[in-house]
């Protein structure tokens, strides 16, 4: 039996700084979205990414049943959207004009970057559902990303270092 408690797990993993995204989907014509920082690039050929979504959340159901979703990576100026889409039980799109991507999935207008995906596969892992998406469309704009570190939104600063060579 493990003795790792959830608060400690969250506190320690919170040292791993991330960006912030809103995953969006649709179910029975109703748009859903939730703020995530569990976004990870999985594969380049084919282009796959994953997000880990809370097993009970409405967005999780919308995305796994609908078979499509968009990942909207937020800019430093979109913290208000990160907070809006993290509110439990709220109608996250209330008052927002719903824009759609090329695959018809609701998207966040003016996101820092956007990746539209088909669900490749999904499986339950503990209290979350791991959703692997195959990227169909993607775009990005200039700007600064929103960061998340130790439970707080933060800036991610480009210090102009040399780019890293990728050997794999
Ligand atoms: C910065 C940040 C990152 C989050 N990352 C995730 C995540 O990766 N997976 C997840 O299930 N919930 C994550 N959450 C919590 C969800 O955003 C929140 O529980 C959800 O939007 C509530 O929606 P619901 O009413 O449909 O349950 C995160 C919240 C914040 C503020």
């Amino acid at each position: 039996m493990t003795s790792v408690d959830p608060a400690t797990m969250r506190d320690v993993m919170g040292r791993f700084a991330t960006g912030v995204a809103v995953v969006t989907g649709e179910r029975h014509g109703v748009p859903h979205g939730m703020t995530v920082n569990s976004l990870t690039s999985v594969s380049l050929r084919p282009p796959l990414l994953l997000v880990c979504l809370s097993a009970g959340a409405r967005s999780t159901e919308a995305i796994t049943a609908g078979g499509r979703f968009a990942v909207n990576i937020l800019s430093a100026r979109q913290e208000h959207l990160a907070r809006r889409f993290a509110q439990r039980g709220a109608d996250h799109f209330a008052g927002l004009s719903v824009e759609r991507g090329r695959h018809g999935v609701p998207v966040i207008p003016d996101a820092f970057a956007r990746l539209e995906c088909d669900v490749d596969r999904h499986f339950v892992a503990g209290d979350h559902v791991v959703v692997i998406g195959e990227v169909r469309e993607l775009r990005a704009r200039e700007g600064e990303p929103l960061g998340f570190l130790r439970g707080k939104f933060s800036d991610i600063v480009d210090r102009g270092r040399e780019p890293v060579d990728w050997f794999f």
Side-chain angles (χ1 to χ4, degrees), residues 26-102:
E26 191 173 52
R27 182 93 165 120
H28 303 312
V30 180
H32 293 280
M34 76 191 279
T35 302
V36 300
N37 70 338
S38 57
L39 172 63
T40 303
S41 177
V42 172
S43 162
L44 298 178
R45 291 190 202 85
L48 301 175
L49 57 76
L50 73 74
V51 285
C52 303
L53 305 180
S54 178
R58 293 159 300 167
S59 307
T60 310
E61 171 66 12
I63 288 166
T64 54
R68 290 172 172 182
F69 64 103
V71 175
N72 307 266
I73 298 174
L74 299 182
S75 79
R77 295 183 178 195
Q78 294 176 318
E79 182 180 325
H80 61 288
L81 292 173
R83 291 182 183 276
R84 166 190 274 260
F85 282 91
Q87 273 169 29
R88 214 167 274 279
D91 176 1
H92 294 137
F93 276 93
L96 281 187
S97 61
V98 178
E99 205 172 280
R100 286 174 195 284
R102 284 191 209 167

